[in-house]
């Protein structure tokens, strides 16, 4: 994770943003706040091929929190069967790392193959509350952790998913990020949100990590990228 997030931080996509004043409270603003629910899919739950420990424990509280936001964005990993991030495509073991496009690629078990039950949103996530759905990792030769941009491709660039433009069009200025996993897709999404000029807050109790023992490293990268991380209990209001 550290290598991945460091690589992201070293590849700025735009001119540095003017620092945004941190909020004094966490009252949900229906016109300018969004909840970003990252990769709540069965393949990342206990029993799945890329299980995140205790990932199933955050389904119900995230589902409840979704009721309090006017705009909910959800992401899904949505990979082709021969995706470049799969260890099976390289004759390597899952969680090995290889150099790829000038960065480091973690190799994963086959997971979230487009159209399979493991790639669906968890049935406990209320899909009627989702206003924007982002499917990522759809290019065979590029991995994708962030809701905002693909990982670095063969051209050395990180392609946009279009989410930043959609949020801008809706007047969103702040995103609360939850889901799986804190040290990969949640972290990348929060850092990219901040880089895109949004204020990003990771809801710590509504995430779980692939490598929870490396929490301090992730927290340091959040601090470097001006990403806040707080418990969801600090959120106020927002009931529809």
């Amino acid at each position: 994770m550290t290598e991945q997030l460091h690589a992201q931080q070293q590849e700025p996509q735009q001119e540095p943003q003017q620092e945004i004043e941190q909020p004094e409270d966490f009252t949900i603003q229906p016109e300018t706040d969004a909840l970003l629910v990252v990769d709540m899919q069965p393949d990342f739950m206990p029993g799945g091929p890329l299980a995140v420990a205790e990932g199933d424990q955050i389904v119900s509280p995230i589902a409840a929190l979704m009721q309090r936001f006017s705009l909910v964005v959800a992401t899904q990993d949505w990979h082709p069967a021969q995706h470049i991030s799969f260890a099976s495509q390289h004759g390597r073991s899952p969680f090995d790392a290889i150099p790829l496009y000038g960065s480091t690629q973690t190799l994963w078990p086959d997971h979230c193959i487009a159209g399979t039950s493991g790639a669906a949103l968890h049935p406990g996530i209320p899909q009627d509350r989702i206003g924007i759905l982002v499917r990522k990792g759809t290019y065979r030769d590029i991995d994708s952790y962030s809701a905002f941009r693909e990982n670095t491709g063969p051209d050395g660039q990180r392609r946009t998913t279009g989410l930043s433009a959609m949020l801008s069009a809706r007047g969103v200025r702040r995103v609360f990020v939850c889901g799986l996993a804190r040290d990969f897709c949640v972290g990348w999404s929060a850092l990219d949100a901040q880089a895109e000029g949004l204020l990003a807050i990771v809801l710590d109790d509504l995430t779980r990590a692939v490598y929870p023992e490396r929490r301090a490293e992730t927290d340091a990268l959040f601090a470097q990228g001006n990403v806040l991380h707080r418990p969801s209990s600090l959120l106020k209001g927002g009931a529809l």
Side-chain angles (χ1 to χ4, degrees):
M1 180 281 302
T2 303
E3 293 85 354
Q4 297 290 348
L5 284 181
H6 271 309
Q8 181 196 30
Q9 291 295 88
Q10 292 167 1
E11 296 165 1
Q13 299 299 314
Q14 58 186 42
E15 294 299 317
Q17 298 288 326
Q18 182 178 357
E19 185 175 352
I20 300 174
E21 183 180 353
Q22 304 292 2
E24 295 181 357
D25 65 63
F26 294 100
T27 301
I28 297 170
Q29 304 297 328
E31 300 301 320
T32 57
D33 286 347
L35 179 66
L36 176 54
V37 179
V38 177
D39 294 0
M40 294 298 291
Q41 298 166 269
D43 274 1
F44 294 126
M45 304 289 170
L50 187 44
V52 178
E54 301 182 350
D56 54 337
Q57 296 183 13
I58 62 175
V59 173
S60 292
I62 287 176
L65 184 59
M66 290 170 69
Q67 308 300 323
R68 298 169 59 187
F69 280 81
S70 298
L71 178 60
V72 176
V73 180
T75 70
Q76 287 174 278
D77 256 14
W78 198 253
H79 296 311
Q82 292 80 35
H83 194 251
I84 198 167
S85 74
F86 295 167
S88 62
Q89 298 300 303
H90 303 271
R92 302 286 293 269
S93 298
F95 307 104
D96 283 354
I98 62 170
L100 185 67
Y101 310 141
S103 186
T104 301
Q105 173 66 53
T106 300
L107 298 177
W108 306 108
D110 291 18
H111 66 280
C112 295
I113 295 173
T116 65
S117 59
L121 289 173
H122 189 283
I125 297 297
Q127 296 193 37
D128 63 315
R129 296 296 310 142
I130 298 170
I132 298 174
L133 179 64
V134 177
R135 286 176 168 168
K136 56 191 180 65
T138 60
Y139 297 105
R140 192 200 68 81
D141 60 342
I142 308 173
D143 206 0
S144 184
Y145 297 155
S146 172
F148 291 88
R149 290 185 179 273
E150 310 287 341
N151 292 13
T152 303
D155 60 356
Q157 302 299 311
R158 297 184 60 216
R159 301 176 184 174
T160 179
T161 65
L163 178 57
S164 181
M166 286 188 281
L167 295 180
S168 177
R170 293 173 181 241
V172 173
R173 296 199 293 269
R174 182 170 64 169
V175 291
F176 294 90
V177 191
C178 59
L180 301 172
R182 187 180 192 267
D183 44 355
F184 283 92
C185 298
V186 168
W188 276 59
S189 296
L191 288 164
D192 275 347
Q194 195 76 28
E196 294 284 350
L198 297 163
L199 182 62
I201 302 98
V202 173
L203 299 174
D204 271 339
D205 56 313
L206 301 184
T207 67
R208 295 293 187 271
V210 175
Y211 300 113
E213 68 276 11
R214 300 182 188 175
R215 180 185 177 93
E217 298 173 25
T218 305
D219 289 353
L221 291 167
F222 286 164
Q224 180 182 344
N226 296 316
V227 170
L228 300 179
H229 55 100
R230 300 287 189 270
S232 63
S233 60
L234 295 180
L235 291 172
K236 302 174 184 177
L240 297 179

